[in-house]
Amino acid sequence: VLCQQPIGFVDATRLDAVCLLDKSLYDLRQVAHAWFTRFVEFFIKLGFWATRSDSSLFVPHRGTDTAYLLLYVHDIVLTGSNSALLREIVDRLRAEFAVRDMGALSFFLGIDVKRTRDGFYLTQDRYAEDILEHAGMMSCKPVATPIDVKGKLNADGPAVDDAHSYRSLAGALQY
């Protein structure tokens, strides 16, 4: 890891030095919070404000122009009403952080994004198909409710064959 001014600790006498980490930061719980806090402080300096509906969604207004920036862990989705405003935001982000423009948004957090003349069309078809494939259910026919909704589970009942697979599918459905 090279030490760089905006990211880590810098020894002004040894700018070309390589840092040796005694302990990885990525396993610590407070790292995600510190990283998020650093971004939020920077966004606020740029005139963004966090929305009430989602603490990861930030909006700046510049006259009649608006941008929307969604921060999820280390991914940023940015869209807005004016390309000049978007370029300004990206340039400011690049000046502060090591960011890379991945181009037009097409897939994010299990959501397919298709741009249309009227805006964006969002779908989770691919994500749902991935879950069905993982469960071995691609050839199954759809039904309104695939289980008995009045059924009660018994603690003495048989365990699932593969608990890991079951938990994985339950987590994917919750997501």
Side-chain angles (χ1 to χ4, degrees):
V1 176
L2 290 177
C3 295
Q4 298 176 6
Q5 187 93 29
I7 296 174
F9 301 102
V10 177
D11 181 348
T13 62
R14 301 180 62 210
L15 294 176
D16 60 342
V18 175
C19 300
L20 174 63
L21 295 176
D22 290 329
K23 185 174 182 181
S24 172
L25 299 175
Y26 295 104
D27 292 336
L28 301 175
R29 288 184 191 176
Q30 61 268 34
V31 169
H33 179 70
W35 183 248
F36 183 79
T37 301
R38 173 134 159 53
F39 267 92
V40 170
E41 289 170 356
F42 178 74
F43 293 149
I44 289 171
K45 278 193 331 189
L46 291 183
F48 284 81
W49 49 272
T51 62
R52 287 184 182 162
S53 60
D54 187 338
S55 62
S56 298
L57 180 62
F58 300 88
V59 180
H61 294 289
R62 305 268 168 75
T64 59
D65 295 323
T66 302
Y68 299 93
L69 186 144
L70 179 67
L71 174 65
Y72 182 79
V73 186
H74 60 270
D75 293 324
I76 297 172
V77 175
L78 176 65
T79 189
S81 61
N82 181 302
S83 58
L85 174 60
L86 296 177
R87 274 193 305 277
E88 176 193 337
I89 294 168
V90 169
D91 290 344
R92 301 279 301 270
L93 281 168
R94 281 191 178 132
E96 185 74 17
F97 302 102
V99 295
R100 182 176 46 169
D101 188 349
M102 303 295 289
L105 181 64
S106 62
F107 190 77
F108 185 71
L109 299 177
I111 300 171
D112 276 305
V113 180
K114 293 178 180 54
R115 184 180 287 262
T116 68
R117 202 171 38 109
D118 300 321
F120 297 102
Y121 177 73
L122 308 176
T123 179
Q124 287 189 295
D125 291 348
R126 184 181 353 169
Y127 186 71
E129 287 174 4
D130 288 346
I131 292 173
L132 289 172
E133 186 174 328
H134 179 74
M137 299 178 70
M138 285 297 287
S139 61
C140 294
K141 295 181 180 177
V143 295
T145 305
I147 61 171
D148 177 10
V149 294
K150 296 185 193 271
K152 301 291 181 203
L153 295 177
N154 185 337
D156 301 335
V160 294
D161 293 334
D162 183 356
H164 174 73
S165 179
Y166 177 81
R167 284 191 296 271
S168 174
L169 287 170
L173 289 170
Q174 287 177 333
Y175 175 75

